[in-house]
């Protein structure tokens, strides 16, 4: 599998756009902290996400960064996490 | 708009071209230059797959795809500069239609500009031939409309460079050849052969449908197939079987509620299919979204009986379905395919017995009689005879299945297996087997229809009301490999315990909790990677099922001499 692990962080100056982006990000990753998401994406999904974010963003006022942490299967990101535990986002079938 | 007398100057590329045939999109001429098979798959068979490149391509086109400015008719006399975006033009004499990203010019002299996602390639003519030909075809359409058009521009978005392409005689000849070549291929109704070991294949978004290396390998090429097909497992299924569950959509996610309490969310991009069993409630907006994204929903009764599935408008590849029906009426092909499937099933069950034997009893007689069944099966002359051989082998196999289980402990319902029974199963092992088969049949049905088949028309199983005959056909070799071995694993590892079953009026069924764990074991089995005995690369069972479906399609469409059955080593 060719998923990669990303940390996406954003600063959005407008409440409406912020909510739209938050909703979108929920579809692509797991919420980590205020305006920070953890995503596991294929190359196609990465391209999709960028295109969708770009459609929401105002380039003059807002800022989004995507940090690539490496291949999702075998990377063990060096993360210092105080308080809550940082856990890598999982990819598994959901059975309810 | 055509000036009179102009049409005669352009030779008709194909005499039988009439208003009945659809116009060829110019993009397809590009694909044809890149690979004739790609053009055929996309244009004639309407196959499409999205990849990172195609998504990025659309993204870099977002500005030019918005219509802006207009293209004044030629001879209007205005000397204003033309700057028109996203102009759709067609030409009946060329039989082409094109969406021009950008047309620049002045008066009657115009230049088409085509946007490309990547960087400018460093090749002799400034660009590769497919792009030059596509641009030239756009130029020819503009000429056909009465403009003067001697050159075009390719704009490479990544490096922000413009490359001029002049429409000289050589390029025009190349373009005309490509147009008539594509039309010939499309009219011929025969899928062109794949490229051999081409560096173009790995980045082609359709390589999982085309299977270039696999086809060449089975046709006898002396090349180990590259694992191009293996890469794409992006999404996984979501099973909902809890009582009173509700599935709804929120933004880009699915939310699953049980008794009005949110239990979990699933991101739509990571969902490959939604499997609902029992009285689960799915909202209409969610169903619309799932259909739009091509995510199938399967409906099962609470006990696991497969009732049907919902897909959007379905698969567009009519040629494949036609080939399937045609073959299904041919007794020779039916018998040939059925023999292969039954043989593979017996061989695979034999391997399963050999590997998992737990008891002290001697198994050599059993193994050799199964081997005899295989030989008998190859000699069969009709489907009835084959059914007999399969039945004999199955009863031999199930008579020994109990020897594969860990010795039972002393509880009321233990895992003692004596014989296979169903409708309804009367002991836990039979209940597990039945449930596993229904999961497998559902998986095959979904996969086959996603690939473009009609799962209800088979070759070995006769069509009967509501029975997915093709899915049942193709799952035969995989019964021992996926379903039976998953049952063994679940029992022998203690994942499913005797207390996970409920017994009502002589029939035994899994309870909700046990079923959940069993589905987990089944999905784990599907994610298990094995080395393909013929192709030599590692592949998960989940992808293997899709691969086998596509290979069957390739056989039915005449691309492969035979359907390669999966027989484990």
């Amino acid at each position: 599998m060719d998923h990669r692990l990303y940390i996406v962080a954003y600063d959005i100056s407008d409440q409406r756009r912020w909510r739209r982006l938050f909703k979108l990000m929920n579809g692509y990753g797991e919420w980590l902290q205020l305006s920070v998401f953890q995503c596991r994406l294929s190359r196609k999904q990465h391209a999709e996400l960028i295109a969708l974010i770009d459609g929401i963003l105002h380039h003059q006022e807002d800022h989004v960064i995507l940090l690539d942490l490496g291949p999702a299967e075998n990377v063990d990101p060096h993360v210092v996490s105080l308080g809550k535990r940082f856990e890598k986002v999982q990819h598994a079938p959901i059975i309810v | 708009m055509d000036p009179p007398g102009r049409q005669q100057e352009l030779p008709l590329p194909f005499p039988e071209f009439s208003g009945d045939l659809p116009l060829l999109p110019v993009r397809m001429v590009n694909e044809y230059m890149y690979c004739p098979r790609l053009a055929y798959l996309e244009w004639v068979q309407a196959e499409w797959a999205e990849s990172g490149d195609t998504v990025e391509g659309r993204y870099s086109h977002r500005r030019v795809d918005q219509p802006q400015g207009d293209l004044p008719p030629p001879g209007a006399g205005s000397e204003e500069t033309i700057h028109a975006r996203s102009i759709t033009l067609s030409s009946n004499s060329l039989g082409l239609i094109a969406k021009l990203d950008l047309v620049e010019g002045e008066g009657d002299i115009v230049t088409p500009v085509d946007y490309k996602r990547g960087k400018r390639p460093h090749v002799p003519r400034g660009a590769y031939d497919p792009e030059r030909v596509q641009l030239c075809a756009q130029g020819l359409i503009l000429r056909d409309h009465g403009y003067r058009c001697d050159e075009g521009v390719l704009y490479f978005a990544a490096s922000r460079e413009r490359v001029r392409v002049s429409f000289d005689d050589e390029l025009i000849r190349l373009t005309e050849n490509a147009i008539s070549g594509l039309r010939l291929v499309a009219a011929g109704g025969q899928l062109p052969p794949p490229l051999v070991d081409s560096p173009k294949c790995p980045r082609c978004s359709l390589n999982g449908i085309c299977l270039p290396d696999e086809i060449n390998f089975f046709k006898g090429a002396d090349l180990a197939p590259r694992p191009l097909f293996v890469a794409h497992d992006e999404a996984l299924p979501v099973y909902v079987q809890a009582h009173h569950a509700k599935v709804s959509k929120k933004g880009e996610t699915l939310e699953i509620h049980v008794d009005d309490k949110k239990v979990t969310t699933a991101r739509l991009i990571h969902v490959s299919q939604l499997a609902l069993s029992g009285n689960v409630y799915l909202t209409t907006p969610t169903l619309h979204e799932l259909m739009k994204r091509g995510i199938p929903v399967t409906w099962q009764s609470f006990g696991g009986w497969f009732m049907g599935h919902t897909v959007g408008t379905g698969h567009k590849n009519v040629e494949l379905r036609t080939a399937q029906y045609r073959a299904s009426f041919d007794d020779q092909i039916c018998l040939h395919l059925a023999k292969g499937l039954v043989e593979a099933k017996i061989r695979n069950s034999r391997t399963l017995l050999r590997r998992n034997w737990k008891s002290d009893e001697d198994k050599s007689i059993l193994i050799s009689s199964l081997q005899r069944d295989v030989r008998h099966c190859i000699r069969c002359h009709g489907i009835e005879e084959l059914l007999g051989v399969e039945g004999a082998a199955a009863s031999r196999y199930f008579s020994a299945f109990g020897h594969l289980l860990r010795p039972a402990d002393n509880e009321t319902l233990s895992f003692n297996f004596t014989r296979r029974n169903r409708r309804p199963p009367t002991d836990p092992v039979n209940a597990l087997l039945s449930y596993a088969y229904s999961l497998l049949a559902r998986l095959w049905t979904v996969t086959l229809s996603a690939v473009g088949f009609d799962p209800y028309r088979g070759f070995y199983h006769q069509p009967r009301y509501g029975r997915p005959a093709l899915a049942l056909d193709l799952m035969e070799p995989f019964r021992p490999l996926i379903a039976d071995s998953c049952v063994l694993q679940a029992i022998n590892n203690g994942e499913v315990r005797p207390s996970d079953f409920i017994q009502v009026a002589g029939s035994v069924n899994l309870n909700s909790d046990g079923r959940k764990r069993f589905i987990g074991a089944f999905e784990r089995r599907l994610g298990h990677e094995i080395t393909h005995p013929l192709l030599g690369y590692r592949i998960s069972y989940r992808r293997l099922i899709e691969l086998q479906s596509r290979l069957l399609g390739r056989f039915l469409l005449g691309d492969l001499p035979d359907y390669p059955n999966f027989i484990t080593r």
Side-chain angles (χ1 to χ4, degrees):
Chain A
M1 227 180 313
D2 51 352
H3 281 175
R4 291 179 81 81
L5 193 67
Y6 294 90
I7 298 289
V8 182
Y10 50 87
D11 260 338
I12 307 292
S13 60
D14 172 69
Q15 270 295 308
R16 272 171 62 107
R17 287 203 301 276
W18 180 86
R19 248 194 315 276
R20 276 183 69 195
L21 190 65
F22 181 75
K23 254 182 149 172
L24 172 74
M25 287 310 302
N26 264 312
Y28 280 82
E30 212 146 281
W31 186 74
L32 209 59
Q33 282 185 7
L34 278 177
S35 303
V36 180
F37 275 81
Q38 197 195 160
C39 307
R40 204 192 143 114
L41 306 169
S42 66
R43 211 174 86 72
K44 178 185 120 197
Q45 290 159 349
H46 181 252
E48 262 169 24
L49 181 62
I50 288 179
L52 289 167
I53 293 177
D54 193 77
I56 295 174
L57 224 59
H58 281 196
H59 284 254
Q60 312 304 319
E61 299 150 47
D62 308 333
H63 185 206
V64 176
I65 51 173
L66 291 95
L67 303 174
D68 186 347
L69 298 192
E73 269 328 295
N74 31 26
V75 72
D76 193 11
H78 298 283
V79 176
V80 178
S81 172
L82 307 174
K84 275 195 216 156
R85 255 186 73 144
F86 172 84
E87 273 175 50
K88 239 166 72 176
V89 59
Q90 291 302 319
H91 189 57
I94 296 171
I95 305 159
V96 179
Chain B
M1 212 177 286
D2 289 338
R6 204 182 154 78
Q7 261 188 5
Q8 276 78 43
E9 290 174 27
L10 284 160
L12 289 180
F14 224 59
E16 62 262 44
F17 180 77
S18 71
D20 228 22
L21 280 166
L23 295 166
L24 289 172
V26 163
R27 193 171 54 85
M28 288 301 151
V29 182
N30 177 334
E31 312 286 35
Y32 175 78
M33 283 297 288
Y34 189 80
C35 164
R37 187 175 168 95
L38 175 65
Y40 191 90
L41 285 169
E42 275 188 23
W43 174 235
V44 182
Q45 300 198 336
E47 294 277 10
W48 178 246
E50 205 81 85
S51 76
D53 288 321
T54 62
V55 175
E56 275 177 16
R58 207 165 330 112
Y59 174 59
S60 59
H61 264 81
R62 67 198 179 284
R63 219 154 67 89
V64 279
D65 277 349
Q66 282 165 6
Q68 202 186 70
D70 47 39
L71 190 63
S78 68
E79 291 300 310
E80 276 176 53
T81 46
I82 301 169
H83 194 84
R85 288 183 197 280
S86 192
I87 302 289
T88 303
L89 284 180
S90 67
S91 151
N92 271 327
S93 60
L94 291 161
L96 291 177
I97 183 162
K99 192 155 121 187
L100 282 66
D101 290 340
L102 173 64
V103 181
E104 293 176 336
E106 230 170 287
D108 285 353
I109 304 167
V110 293
T111 316
V113 181
D114 205 43
Y115 274 55
K116 294 292 166 203
R117 176 186 72 90
K119 288 183 185 148
R120 175 174 72 89
H122 292 269
V123 289
R125 290 170 193 277
Y128 290 111
D129 275 350
E131 280 75 41
R132 295 174 62 238
V133 162
Q134 181 183 9
L135 193 65
C136 179
Q138 292 181 354
L140 292 181
I141 293 178
L142 284 167
R143 279 194 197 179
D144 194 42
H145 278 265
Y147 297 97
R148 220 186 111 195
C149 178
D150 300 322
E151 60 170 21
V153 171
L154 289 167
Y155 176 71
F156 290 91
S159 58
R160 302 186 178 192
E161 280 174 287
R162 287 178 146 230
V163 173
R164 295 195 162 274
V165 176
S166 74
F167 303 149
D168 50 27
D169 290 342
E170 193 199 335
L171 181 59
I172 290 176
R173 210 173 320 113
L174 192 64
T175 308
E176 283 172 347
N177 283 344
I179 295 168
S180 36
L182 172 57
R183 195 158 298 126
L184 186 69
V185 161
Q190 184 66 44
L191 189 61
L195 304 175
V196 178
D197 200 31
S198 164
K200 293 174 179 176
C201 294
R203 288 295 281 270
C204 169
S205 77
L206 256 63
N207 61 27
I209 294 168
C210 160
L211 302 176
D213 288 15
E214 286 82 352
I215 300 296
N216 286 323
F217 174 78
F218 285 121
K219 278 179 162 172
D222 196 20
L223 283 165
R226 297 165 288 180
L228 301 180
F229 180 79
V230 182
H232 319 253
D233 208 5
E234 288 183 353
L236 291 169
V238 173
Y239 289 86
V240 186
Q241 48 110 38
H243 263 306
H244 308 298
K246 175 190 166 193
V247 183
S248 59
K249 183 179 97 75
K250 190 179 180 193
E252 305 273 311
T253 58
L254 290 180
E255 280 191 344
I256 299 158
H257 296 259
V258 177
D259 291 327
D260 291 330
K261 242 215 282 350
K262 190 166 96 184
V263 189
T264 188
T265 58
R267 288 179 283 276
L268 277 164
I269 55 161
H270 289 151
V271 177
S272 65
Q273 48 170 290
L274 184 60
L276 308 177
S277 20
N279 54 351
V280 178
Y281 165 50
L282 178 70
T283 67
T284 305
T286 315
L287 187 57
H288 284 194
E289 183 69 29
L290 291 171
M291 290 196 288
K292 206 161 73 189
R293 290 173 184 250
I295 301 172
V297 183
T298 62
W299 311 85
Q300 282 171 293
S301 75
F302 188 68
W305 187 256
F306 179 40
M307 300 166 90
H309 73 167
T310 309
V311 285
T313 42
H315 206 278
K316 292 182 200 152
N317 193 342
V318 194
E319 277 202 339
L320 183 63
R321 275 195 292 275
T322 313
Q324 180 194 350
Y325 291 132
R326 199 182 298 125
S328 78
F329 289 113
D330 185 327
D331 289 343
Q332 283 308 309
I333 297 180
C334 280
L335 181 65
H336 176 73
L337 278 171
K339 268 159 103 170
L341 291 165
V342 172
E343 185 200 335
K345 178 196 182 181
I346 302 175
R347 279 182 191 276
N348 286 340
S349 30
R350 184 170 162 269
T351 310
L352 186 82
L353 288 181
R354 235 183 32 217
R355 282 192 189 157
N356 294 285
W357 198 259
K358 293 255 186 309
S359 90
D360 304 326
E361 248 177 82
D362 185 34
K363 61 180 181 206
S364 55
I365 298 171
L366 178 74
I367 299 290
S368 56
S369 25
L370 281 171
Q371 190 60 41
R372 212 167 41 244
D373 286 333
V374 169
R375 282 198 298 274
H376 197 160
C377 157
I378 299 170
R379 285 196 306 267
C380 275
H381 294 297
I383 295 274
E384 280 75 34
E385 199 185 340
L386 192 63
L387 277 166
V389 175
E390 194 212 339
S395 73
R396 244 190 274 286
Y397 169 70
F398 280 118
S399 72
F401 194 72
H403 294 301
L404 310 182
L405 299 169
R406 212 174 49 178
D409 39 18
N410 40 359
E411 283 189 65
T412 42
L413 274 167
S414 61
F415 293 117
N416 271 330
F417 184 88
T418 45
R419 61 184 200 89
R420 170 87 181 117
N421 57 45
R422 59 213 184 98
R423 289 183 196 172
T426 55
D427 61 90
V429 180
N430 274 307
L432 282 180
L433 284 172
S434 291
Y435 193 64
Y437 293 149
S438 82
L439 288 176
L440 191 58
R442 186 189 54 80
L443 180 70
W444 269 104
T445 309
V446 170
T447 310
L448 285 168
S449 37
V451 165
F453 284 107
D454 176 352
Y456 293 95
R457 179 102 205 153
F459 303 104
Y460 177 42
H461 291 83
Q462 296 308 303
R464 202 192 282 164
Y465 179 71
R467 188 166 73 164
L470 184 65
L472 296 176
D473 281 1
L474 287 176
M475 79 183 248
E476 288 295 355
F478 291 90
R479 282 175 192 258
L481 294 181
I482 296 176
D484 299 351
S485 87
C486 169
V487 170
L488 290 179
Q489 227 167 46
I491 294 174
N492 290 347
N493 294 346
E495 280 175 89
V496 178
R497 288 177 294 273
S499 54
D500 287 329
F501 294 86
I502 35 175
Q503 193 166 24
V504 184
S507 80
V508 174
N509 220 332
L510 268 169
N511 68 14
S512 177
D513 215 32
R515 182 176 296 136
K516 211 163 137 177
R517 258 178 280 122
F518 186 68
I519 295 172
F522 185 80
E523 283 298 326
R524 213 173 49 236
R525 182 74 189 155
L526 291 178
H528 189 80
E529 280 195 351
I530 38 146
T531 304
H532 196 289
L534 303 170
L535 299 168
Y537 52 59
R538 288 183 74 73
I539 186 168
S540 70
Y541 276 116
R542 194 178 279 118
R543 297 289 298 159
L544 178 65
I545 286 178
E546 193 190 329
L547 175 66
Q548 292 297 125
S549 315
R550 295 213 183 274
L551 288 174
L552 177 69
R554 292 283 159 258
F555 163 63
L556 294 176
L557 285 169
D559 221 11
L560 276 184
D562 198 357
Y563 169 65
N565 273 295
F566 184 81
I567 298 170
T568 194
R569 256 202 288 244

